[in-house]
Amino acid sequence: MLHITPTPRGIGVKLWGTHEDLNSFYEVIGKFWGEERNLTMTGSENRDKLISSFSYEVRKAFEGQRLKKKSDHPEIDEVEYFGAEISWIHFLFFLAALKFNMRYSETTKFDIAMVLQVEYWLEKAMKEFDETGARKLIGFIDGGIYEANEYIYHYMRKINMDYVMQGGGKKAFRELPELLEKASFLTDEYDVYQTFLENEAKRLGCTVNDLEVDDDYVDYEGVKW
C-alpha cells in the first residue's frame, strides 16, 4: 500500500511504496494523459505536461533512483520501500489535472480507489506536519485549484517556485493557501497571472505552452526538504 509522510521542513512529502505499489500507481496515472482523443480539449497539452512530470518522479522512485528504506515492522519480513520527494504544490496540482482528465475517460474501481488512497494519505501528511496549516490546505485536495485552467502547468511552476523560495517551515506552510489563491478561478491573482502569461507569449511571438517559467536562479538541488 502507498503511504505519504511530510518532509522535515514541510516543502512537501515523501511518497512511499513497494516496487509493485508504485508501479501500479504509475500505470493508473498513465491511463489519463497523452491520449489523442484529449488533444482537442482546451489545456490538454498543459495538463499532460503537469501529469507527466509527476509520473516521471513516480517512475524514478520504483526504479530505485530516488529514496529507499527497509521496513522496520517487527511482525513482517523486511521489505524494501521506494520513494520520492514531491512538493505540496506539485502534488495538489497533479491531482487536479488527473481528476479533470479522469472525468473524460473510462475509469475502473481500482483507478478511483488508488486516487482516494493517495488523497487520504496526503491529508494525513498535512495534519501530521501542522494541524493549524492543514485546516485551510486540505480543501485544495478536492477543489480550490481550477482544474480546467488551460495554463495549469505554468501556474504550478510559478507557485511552486514562490513556495520553495520561502524555505519551508510551519510559517510558510500556513501561508501556502494564500499562494494557492493564484490557482483559484476568478480571483485577482489568477487573472493577473493569466494576463501576464498571454502578454509574454504575444511579446515573444509564441504560445503560452512554449513559455518557460524563469526559475533558473532557484537552487532546487539544494532545497532542504
mmCIF file of all heavy atoms in Angstrom, residues 139-180:
data_model
loop_
_atom_site.group_PDB
_atom_site.id
_atom_site.type_symbol
_atom_site.label_atom_id
_atom_site.label_comp_id
_atom_site.label_asym_id
_atom_site.label_seq_id
_atom_site.Cartn_x
_atom_site.Cartn_y
_atom_site.Cartn_z
ATOM 1 N N GLY A 139 -8.641 21.607 1.902
ATOM 2 C CA GLY A 139 -9.664 21.871 0.895
ATOM 3 C C GLY A 139 -9.140 21.880 -0.523
ATOM 4 O O GLY A 139 -9.904 21.656 -1.474
ATOM 5 N N PHE A 140 -7.842 22.103 -0.683
ATOM 6 C CA PHE A 140 -7.265 22.127 -2.019
ATOM 7 C C PHE A 140 -7.024 20.724 -2.580
ATOM 8 O O PHE A 140 -6.694 20.573 -3.758
ATOM 9 C CB PHE A 140 -5.948 22.910 -2.020
ATOM 10 C CG PHE A 140 -6.137 24.396 -1.898
ATOM 11 C CD1 PHE A 140 -6.107 25.017 -0.659
ATOM 12 C CD2 PHE A 140 -6.379 25.177 -3.024
ATOM 13 C CE1 PHE A 140 -6.296 26.389 -0.534
ATOM 14 C CE2 PHE A 140 -6.569 26.551 -2.919
ATOM 15 C CZ PHE A 140 -6.533 27.157 -1.671
ATOM 16 N N ILE A 141 -7.194 19.696 -1.751
ATOM 17 C CA ILE A 141 -7.055 18.330 -2.254
ATOM 18 C C ILE A 141 -8.186 18.001 -3.216
ATOM 19 O O ILE A 141 -8.004 17.328 -4.219
ATOM 20 C CB ILE A 141 -7.029 17.311 -1.089
ATOM 21 C CG1 ILE A 141 -5.762 17.506 -0.246
ATOM 22 C CG2 ILE A 141 -7.098 15.880 -1.618
ATOM 23 C CD1 ILE A 141 -5.688 16.596 0.968
ATOM 24 N N ASP A 142 -9.370 18.487 -2.903
ATOM 25 C CA ASP A 142 -10.535 18.180 -3.734
ATOM 26 C C ASP A 142 -11.303 19.452 -4.075
ATOM 27 O O ASP A 142 -12.495 19.566 -3.822
ATOM 28 C CB ASP A 142 -11.442 17.179 -3.008
ATOM 29 C CG ASP A 142 -12.489 16.589 -3.946
ATOM 30 O OD1 ASP A 142 -12.264 16.587 -5.171
ATOM 31 O OD2 ASP A 142 -13.532 16.124 -3.452
ATOM 32 N N GLY A 143 -10.596 20.405 -4.645
ATOM 33 C CA GLY A 143 -11.217 21.668 -5.015
ATOM 34 C C GLY A 143 -10.260 22.807 -4.731
ATOM 35 O O GLY A 143 -9.204 22.625 -4.155
ATOM 36 N N GLY A 144 -10.650 23.994 -5.124
ATOM 37 C CA GLY A 144 -9.801 25.158 -4.888
ATOM 38 C C GLY A 144 -8.922 25.468 -6.077
ATOM 39 O O GLY A 144 -8.859 26.603 -6.545
ATOM 40 N N ILE A 145 -8.222 24.461 -6.580
ATOM 41 C CA ILE A 145 -7.406 24.634 -7.779
ATOM 42 C C ILE A 145 -8.303 24.441 -9.000
ATOM 43 O O ILE A 145 -8.979 23.418 -9.120
ATOM 44 C CB ILE A 145 -6.232 23.635 -7.810
ATOM 45 C CG1 ILE A 145 -5.275 23.946 -6.659
ATOM 46 C CG2 ILE A 145 -5.507 23.684 -9.149
ATOM 47 C CD1 ILE A 145 -4.146 22.937 -6.511
ATOM 48 N N TYR A 146 -8.299 25.405 -9.884
ATOM 49 C CA TYR A 146 -9.168 25.361 -11.064
ATOM 50 C C TYR A 146 -8.651 24.306 -12.044
ATOM 51 O O TYR A 146 -7.640 24.496 -12.718
ATOM 52 C CB TYR A 146 -9.219 26.728 -11.726
ATOM 53 C CG TYR A 146 -10.113 26.821 -12.933
ATOM 54 C CD1 TYR A 146 -11.382 26.261 -12.932
ATOM 55 C CD2 TYR A 146 -9.681 27.496 -14.081
ATOM 56 C CE1 TYR A 146 -12.211 26.360 -14.038
ATOM 57 C CE2 TYR A 146 -10.510 27.598 -15.195
ATOM 58 C CZ TYR A 146 -11.770 27.025 -15.167
ATOM 59 O OH TYR A 146 -12.583 27.113 -16.266
ATOM 60 N N GLU A 147 -9.351 23.185 -12.099
ATOM 61 C CA GLU A 147 -8.897 22.027 -12.867
ATOM 62 C C GLU A 147 -8.870 22.274 -14.369
ATOM 63 O O GLU A 147 -8.071 21.673 -15.090
ATOM 64 C CB GLU A 147 -9.796 20.821 -12.566
ATOM 65 C CG GLU A 147 -9.792 20.401 -11.111
ATOM 66 C CD GLU A 147 -10.842 19.356 -10.823
ATOM 67 O OE1 GLU A 147 -11.820 19.246 -11.615
ATOM 68 O OE2 GLU A 147 -10.716 18.640 -9.818
ATOM 69 N N ALA A 148 -9.752 23.135 -14.863
ATOM 70 C CA ALA A 148 -9.848 23.373 -16.301
ATOM 71 C C ALA A 148 -8.919 24.498 -16.776
ATOM 72 O O ALA A 148 -8.980 24.891 -17.939
ATOM 73 C CB ALA A 148 -11.291 23.711 -16.676
ATOM 74 N N ASN A 149 -8.069 24.986 -15.901
ATOM 75 C CA ASN A 149 -7.119 26.041 -16.248
ATOM 76 C C ASN A 149 -6.243 25.584 -17.420
ATOM 77 O O ASN A 149 -5.503 24.603 -17.309
ATOM 78 C CB ASN A 149 -6.244 26.345 -15.020
ATOM 79 C CG ASN A 149 -5.233 27.445 -15.261
ATOM 80 O OD1 ASN A 149 -5.083 27.949 -16.368
ATOM 81 N ND2 ASN A 149 -4.527 27.799 -14.214
ATOM 82 N N GLU A 150 -6.311 26.296 -18.538
ATOM 83 C CA GLU A 150 -5.557 25.858 -19.710
ATOM 84 C C GLU A 150 -4.050 26.067 -19.562
ATOM 85 O O GLU A 150 -3.268 25.544 -20.355
ATOM 86 C CB GLU A 150 -6.055 26.570 -20.969
ATOM 87 C CG GLU A 150 -5.937 28.078 -20.945
ATOM 88 C CD GLU A 150 -6.518 28.714 -22.209
ATOM 89 O OE1 GLU A 150 -6.156 28.261 -23.315
ATOM 90 O OE2 GLU A 150 -7.346 29.638 -22.072
ATOM 91 N N TYR A 151 -3.642 26.812 -18.536
ATOM 92 C CA TYR A 151 -2.213 27.033 -18.281
ATOM 93 C C TYR A 151 -1.818 26.458 -16.921
ATOM 94 O O TYR A 151 -0.933 26.976 -16.248
ATOM 95 C CB TYR A 151 -1.886 28.528 -18.320
ATOM 96 C CG TYR A 151 -2.410 29.255 -19.538
ATOM 97 C CD1 TYR A 151 -3.062 30.484 -19.409
ATOM 98 C CD2 TYR A 151 -2.261 28.723 -20.815
ATOM 99 C CE1 TYR A 151 -3.538 31.167 -20.520
ATOM 100 C CE2 TYR A 151 -2.741 29.393 -21.932
ATOM 101 C CZ TYR A 151 -3.381 30.611 -21.779
ATOM 102 O OH TYR A 151 -3.853 31.275 -22.884
ATOM 103 N N ILE A 152 -2.441 25.377 -16.526
ATOM 104 C CA ILE A 152 -2.285 24.847 -15.170
ATOM 105 C C ILE A 152 -0.838 24.481 -14.832
ATOM 106 O O ILE A 152 -0.392 24.654 -13.696
ATOM 107 C CB ILE A 152 -3.227 23.633 -14.956
ATOM 108 C CG1 ILE A 152 -3.292 23.260 -13.465
ATOM 109 C CG2 ILE A 152 -2.834 22.453 -15.832
ATOM 110 C CD1 ILE A 152 -4.395 22.250 -13.159
ATOM 111 N N TYR A 153 -0.087 24.001 -15.813
ATOM 112 C CA TYR A 153 1.314 23.642 -15.567
ATOM 113 C C TYR A 153 2.141 24.877 -15.206
ATOM 114 O O TYR A 153 2.970 24.842 -14.290
ATOM 115 C CB TYR A 153 1.896 22.955 -16.803
ATOM 116 C CG TYR A 153 3.371 22.618 -16.691
ATOM 117 C CD1 TYR A 153 3.799 21.578 -15.877
ATOM 118 C CD2 TYR A 153 4.333 23.348 -17.402
ATOM 119 C CE1 TYR A 153 5.154 21.262 -15.771
ATOM 120 C CE2 TYR A 153 5.674 23.036 -17.307
ATOM 121 C CZ TYR A 153 6.075 21.991 -16.493
ATOM 122 O OH TYR A 153 7.424 21.689 -16.393
ATOM 123 N N HIS A 154 1.903 25.977 -15.905
ATOM 124 C CA HIS A 154 2.642 27.205 -15.634
ATOM 125 C C HIS A 154 2.295 27.773 -14.255
ATOM 126 O O HIS A 154 3.177 28.274 -13.547
ATOM 127 C CB HIS A 154 2.362 28.243 -16.716
ATOM 128 C CG HIS A 154 2.913 27.877 -18.054
ATOM 129 N ND1 HIS A 154 2.280 26.964 -18.870
ATOM 130 C CD2 HIS A 154 4.048 28.262 -18.702
ATOM 131 C CE1 HIS A 154 3.000 26.825 -19.985
ATOM 132 N NE2 HIS A 154 4.067 27.591 -19.896
ATOM 133 N N TYR A 155 1.031 27.674 -13.888
ATOM 134 C CA TYR A 155 0.625 28.123 -12.561
ATOM 135 C C TYR A 155 1.318 27.283 -11.490
ATOM 136 O O TYR A 155 1.777 27.811 -10.466
ATOM 137 C CB TYR A 155 -0.892 28.025 -12.397
ATOM 138 C CG TYR A 155 -1.661 29.200 -12.958
ATOM 139 C CD1 TYR A 155 -1.766 29.406 -14.332
ATOM 140 C CD2 TYR A 155 -2.294 30.106 -12.119
ATOM 141 C CE1 TYR A 155 -2.471 30.470 -14.853
ATOM 142 C CE2 TYR A 155 -3.018 31.183 -12.622
ATOM 143 C CZ TYR A 155 -3.098 31.361 -14.000
ATOM 144 O OH TYR A 155 -3.804 32.439 -14.507
ATOM 145 N N MET A 156 1.370 25.978 -11.691
ATOM 146 C CA MET A 156 2.044 25.110 -10.730
ATOM 147 C C MET A 156 3.501 25.484 -10.576
ATOM 148 O O MET A 156 4.020 25.615 -9.458
ATOM 149 C CB MET A 156 1.927 23.644 -11.176
ATOM 150 C CG MET A 156 2.555 22.638 -10.203
ATOM 151 S SD MET A 156 4.355 22.385 -10.375
ATOM 152 C CE MET A 156 4.416 21.484 -11.927
ATOM 153 N N ARG A 157 4.196 25.690 -11.697
ATOM 154 C CA ARG A 157 5.622 26.019 -11.648
ATOM 155 C C ARG A 157 5.857 27.340 -10.906
ATOM 156 O O ARG A 157 6.792 27.460 -10.101
ATOM 157 C CB ARG A 157 6.180 26.109 -13.068
ATOM 158 C CG ARG A 157 6.323 24.786 -13.795
ATOM 159 C CD ARG A 157 7.567 24.018 -13.360
ATOM 160 N NE ARG A 157 8.769 24.815 -13.527
ATOM 161 C CZ ARG A 157 9.450 24.958 -14.676
ATOM 162 N NH1 ARG A 157 9.010 24.331 -15.768
ATOM 163 N NH2 ARG A 157 10.543 25.685 -14.742
ATOM 164 N N LYS A 158 5.036 28.337 -11.175
ATOM 165 C CA LYS A 158 5.192 29.644 -10.548
ATOM 166 C C LYS A 158 4.947 29.574 -9.044
ATOM 167 O O LYS A 158 5.736 30.087 -8.240
ATOM 168 C CB LYS A 158 4.240 30.641 -11.206
ATOM 169 C CG LYS A 158 4.112 31.983 -10.505
ATOM 170 C CD LYS A 158 5.426 32.736 -10.425
ATOM 171 C CE LYS A 158 5.208 34.124 -9.801
ATOM 172 N NZ LYS A 158 6.499 34.793 -9.502
ATOM 173 N N ILE A 159 3.842 28.956 -8.644
ATOM 174 C CA ILE A 159 3.512 28.870 -7.218
ATOM 175 C C ILE A 159 4.519 27.994 -6.490
ATOM 176 O O ILE A 159 4.926 28.297 -5.359
ATOM 177 C CB ILE A 159 2.076 28.338 -7.034
ATOM 178 C CG1 ILE A 159 1.066 29.329 -7.636
ATOM 179 C CG2 ILE A 159 1.760 28.099 -5.567
ATOM 180 C CD1 ILE A 159 -0.352 28.802 -7.709
ATOM 181 N N ASN A 160 4.947 26.929 -7.131
ATOM 182 C CA ASN A 160 5.950 26.052 -6.520
ATOM 183 C C ASN A 160 7.252 26.811 -6.281
ATOM 184 O O ASN A 160 7.877 26.699 -5.216
ATOM 185 C CB ASN A 160 6.205 24.849 -7.422
ATOM 186 C CG ASN A 160 7.048 23.793 -6.759
ATOM 187 O OD1 ASN A 160 6.672 23.227 -5.737
ATOM 188 N ND2 ASN A 160 8.216 23.521 -7.319
ATOM 189 N N MET A 161 7.664 27.612 -7.261
ATOM 190 C CA MET A 161 8.883 28.412 -7.114
ATOM 191 C C MET A 161 8.752 29.380 -5.943
ATOM 192 O O MET A 161 9.666 29.494 -5.107
ATOM 193 C CB MET A 161 9.154 29.190 -8.407
ATOM 194 C CG MET A 161 10.383 30.088 -8.336
ATOM 195 S SD MET A 161 10.587 31.111 -9.819
ATOM 196 C CE MET A 161 9.209 32.267 -9.609
ATOM 197 N N ASP A 162 7.621 30.063 -5.855
ATOM 198 C CA ASP A 162 7.416 31.030 -4.780
ATOM 199 C C ASP A 162 7.461 30.350 -3.410
ATOM 200 O O ASP A 162 8.011 30.904 -2.445
ATOM 201 C CB ASP A 162 6.072 31.748 -4.955
ATOM 202 C CG ASP A 162 6.067 32.675 -6.157
ATOM 203 O OD1 ASP A 162 7.149 33.010 -6.661
ATOM 204 O OD2 ASP A 162 4.965 33.054 -6.607
ATOM 205 N N TYR A 163 6.892 29.143 -3.322
ATOM 206 C CA TYR A 163 6.865 28.439 -2.039
ATOM 207 C C TYR A 163 8.254 27.934 -1.655
ATOM 208 O O TYR A 163 8.685 28.091 -0.502
ATOM 209 C CB TYR A 163 5.881 27.271 -2.096
ATOM 210 C CG TYR A 163 5.736 26.560 -0.769
ATOM 211 C CD1 TYR A 163 5.235 27.238 0.338
ATOM 212 C CD2 TYR A 163 6.099 25.231 -0.622
ATOM 213 C CE1 TYR A 163 5.091 26.596 1.570
ATOM 214 C CE2 TYR A 163 5.966 24.584 0.596
ATOM 215 C CZ TYR A 163 5.464 25.269 1.691
ATOM 216 O OH TYR A 163 5.337 24.635 2.905
ATOM 217 N N VAL A 164 8.965 27.354 -2.593
ATOM 218 C CA VAL A 164 10.302 26.842 -2.319
ATOM 219 C C VAL A 164 11.215 27.959 -1.832
ATOM 220 O O VAL A 164 12.033 27.773 -0.923
ATOM 221 C CB VAL A 164 10.894 26.163 -3.579
ATOM 222 C CG1 VAL A 164 12.396 25.904 -3.414
ATOM 223 C CG2 VAL A 164 10.173 24.854 -3.861
ATOM 224 N N MET A 165 11.076 29.141 -2.421
ATOM 225 C CA MET A 165 11.929 30.258 -2.047
ATOM 226 C C MET A 165 11.675 30.740 -0.614
ATOM 227 O O MET A 165 12.510 31.429 -0.026
ATOM 228 C CB MET A 165 11.739 31.412 -3.037
ATOM 229 C CG MET A 165 12.321 31.131 -4.413
ATOM 230 S SD MET A 165 12.072 32.497 -5.573
ATOM 231 C CE MET A 165 13.055 33.794 -4.818
ATOM 232 N N GLN A 166 10.549 30.365 -0.024
ATOM 233 C CA GLN A 166 10.266 30.730 1.359
ATOM 234 C C GLN A 166 11.044 29.863 2.348
ATOM 235 O O GLN A 166 11.116 30.190 3.534
ATOM 236 C CB GLN A 166 8.767 30.638 1.643
ATOM 237 C CG GLN A 166 7.952 31.702 0.932
ATOM 238 C CD GLN A 166 6.492 31.667 1.336
ATOM 239 O OE1 GLN A 166 6.111 30.997 2.287
ATOM 240 N NE2 GLN A 166 5.656 32.384 0.605
ATOM 241 N N GLY A 167 11.582 28.749 1.871
ATOM 242 C CA GLY A 167 12.470 27.936 2.699
ATOM 243 C C GLY A 167 11.812 26.923 3.611
ATOM 244 O O GLY A 167 12.496 26.269 4.404
ATOM 245 N N GLY A 168 10.513 26.778 3.536
ATOM 246 C CA GLY A 168 9.842 25.777 4.344
ATOM 247 C C GLY A 168 9.577 26.234 5.767
ATOM 248 O O GLY A 168 9.725 27.411 6.114
ATOM 249 N N GLY A 169 9.166 25.292 6.605
ATOM 250 C CA GLY A 169 8.798 25.602 7.981
ATOM 251 C C GLY A 169 7.300 25.804 8.125
ATOM 252 O O GLY A 169 6.578 25.959 7.137
ATOM 253 N N LYS A 170 6.824 25.815 9.364
ATOM 254 C CA LYS A 170 5.378 25.914 9.610
ATOM 255 C C LYS A 170 4.808 27.264 9.182
ATOM 256 O O LYS A 170 3.658 27.343 8.740
ATOM 257 C CB LYS A 170 5.082 25.646 11.083
ATOM 258 C CG LYS A 170 5.283 24.182 11.473
ATOM 259 C CD LYS A 170 4.829 23.900 12.892
ATOM 260 C CE LYS A 170 4.996 22.427 13.217
ATOM 261 N NZ LYS A 170 4.548 22.094 14.598
ATOM 262 N N LYS A 171 5.578 28.327 9.334
ATOM 263 C CA LYS A 171 5.079 29.644 8.934
ATOM 264 C C LYS A 171 4.757 29.671 7.443
ATOM 265 O O LYS A 171 3.680 30.115 7.032
ATOM 266 C CB LYS A 171 6.101 30.724 9.269
ATOM 267 C CG LYS A 171 5.643 32.152 8.944
ATOM 268 C CD LYS A 171 6.693 33.170 9.366
ATOM 269 C CE LYS A 171 6.189 34.607 9.140
ATOM 270 N NZ LYS A 171 5.967 34.888 7.708
ATOM 271 N N ALA A 172 5.681 29.172 6.626
ATOM 272 C CA ALA A 172 5.458 29.131 5.181
ATOM 273 C C ALA A 172 4.309 28.190 4.840
ATOM 274 O O ALA A 172 3.486 28.481 3.956
ATOM 275 C CB ALA A 172 6.730 28.694 4.466
ATOM 276 N N PHE A 173 4.232 27.066 5.549
ATOM 277 C CA PHE A 173 3.164 26.090 5.308
ATOM 278 C C PHE A 173 1.792 26.716 5.555
ATOM 279 O O PHE A 173 0.850 26.492 4.799
ATOM 280 C CB PHE A 173 3.377 24.878 6.214
ATOM 281 C CG PHE A 173 2.379 23.769 6.020
ATOM 282 C CD1 PHE A 173 2.446 22.940 4.909
ATOM 283 C CD2 PHE A 173 1.372 23.558 6.953
ATOM 284 C CE1 PHE A 173 1.516 21.910 4.734
ATOM 285 C CE2 PHE A 173 0.446 22.534 6.789
ATOM 286 C CZ PHE A 173 0.522 21.710 5.672
ATOM 287 N N ARG A 174 1.693 27.511 6.606
ATOM 288 C CA ARG A 174 0.416 28.133 6.932
ATOM 289 C C ARG A 174 0.031 29.233 5.949
ATOM 290 O O ARG A 174 -1.145 29.596 5.851
ATOM 291 C CB ARG A 174 0.464 28.689 8.364
ATOM 292 C CG ARG A 174 0.543 27.591 9.415
ATOM 293 C CD ARG A 174 0.701 28.124 10.824
ATOM 294 N NE ARG A 174 0.840 27.024 11.768
ATOM 295 C CZ ARG A 174 0.993 27.175 13.087
ATOM 296 N NH1 ARG A 174 1.007 28.397 13.611
ATOM 297 N NH2 ARG A 174 1.121 26.112 13.864
ATOM 298 N N GLU A 175 1.019 29.749 5.238
ATOM 299 C CA GLU A 175 0.745 30.779 4.229
ATOM 300 C C GLU A 175 0.495 30.185 2.839
ATOM 301 O O GLU A 175 0.131 30.913 1.909
ATOM 302 C CB GLU A 175 1.926 31.759 4.161
ATOM 303 C CG GLU A 175 2.102 32.585 5.433
ATOM 304 C CD GLU A 175 3.354 33.437 5.415
ATOM 305 O OE1 GLU A 175 4.157 33.301 4.453
ATOM 306 O OE2 GLU A 175 3.542 34.244 6.349
ATOM 307 N N LEU A 176 0.682 28.881 2.730
ATOM 308 C CA LEU A 176 0.527 28.228 1.426
ATOM 309 C C LEU A 176 -0.866 28.417 0.816
ATOM 310 O O LEU A 176 -0.978 28.642 -0.395
ATOM 311 C CB LEU A 176 0.875 26.743 1.546
ATOM 312 C CG LEU A 176 0.834 25.897 0.276
ATOM 313 C CD1 LEU A 176 1.623 26.530 -0.851
ATOM 314 C CD2 LEU A 176 1.356 24.484 0.563
ATOM 315 N N PRO A 177 -1.956 28.327 1.595
ATOM 316 C CA PRO A 177 -3.276 28.561 0.992
ATOM 317 C C PRO A 177 -3.389 29.920 0.310
ATOM 318 O O PRO A 177 -4.094 30.052 -0.702
ATOM 319 C CB PRO A 177 -4.235 28.445 2.188
ATOM 320 C CG PRO A 177 -3.539 27.511 3.121
ATOM 321 C CD PRO A 177 -2.083 27.874 2.994
ATOM 322 N N GLU A 178 -2.696 30.935 0.836
ATOM 323 C CA GLU A 178 -2.728 32.247 0.200
ATOM 324 C C GLU A 178 -2.026 32.211 -1.157
ATOM 325 O O GLU A 178 -2.499 32.824 -2.126
ATOM 326 C CB GLU A 178 -2.063 33.281 1.106
ATOM 327 C CG GLU A 178 -2.824 33.553 2.394
ATOM 328 C CD GLU A 178 -2.150 34.603 3.249
ATOM 329 O OE1 GLU A 178 -1.452 35.465 2.686
ATOM 330 O OE2 GLU A 178 -2.315 34.561 4.478
ATOM 331 N N LEU A 179 -0.903 31.506 -1.231
ATOM 332 C CA LEU A 179 -0.217 31.361 -2.521
ATOM 333 C C LEU A 179 -1.109 30.648 -3.528
ATOM 334 O O LEU A 179 -1.123 30.980 -4.715
ATOM 335 C CB LEU A 179 1.081 30.569 -2.347
ATOM 336 C CG LEU A 179 2.286 31.274 -1.730
ATOM 337 C CD1 LEU A 179 3.465 30.307 -1.629
ATOM 338 C CD2 LEU A 179 2.689 32.487 -2.558
ATOM 339 N N LEU A 180 -1.858 29.664 -3.044
ATOM 340 C CA LEU A 180 -2.706 28.871 -3.936
ATOM 341 C C LEU A 180 -3.939 29.627 -4.420
ATOM 342 O O LEU A 180 -4.641 29.148 -5.320
ATOM 343 C CB LEU A 180 -3.122 27.569 -3.242
ATOM 344 C CG LEU A 180 -2.004 26.531 -3.102
ATOM 345 C CD1 LEU A 180 -2.419 25.412 -2.155
ATOM 346 C CD2 LEU A 180 -1.622 25.949 -4.463
#
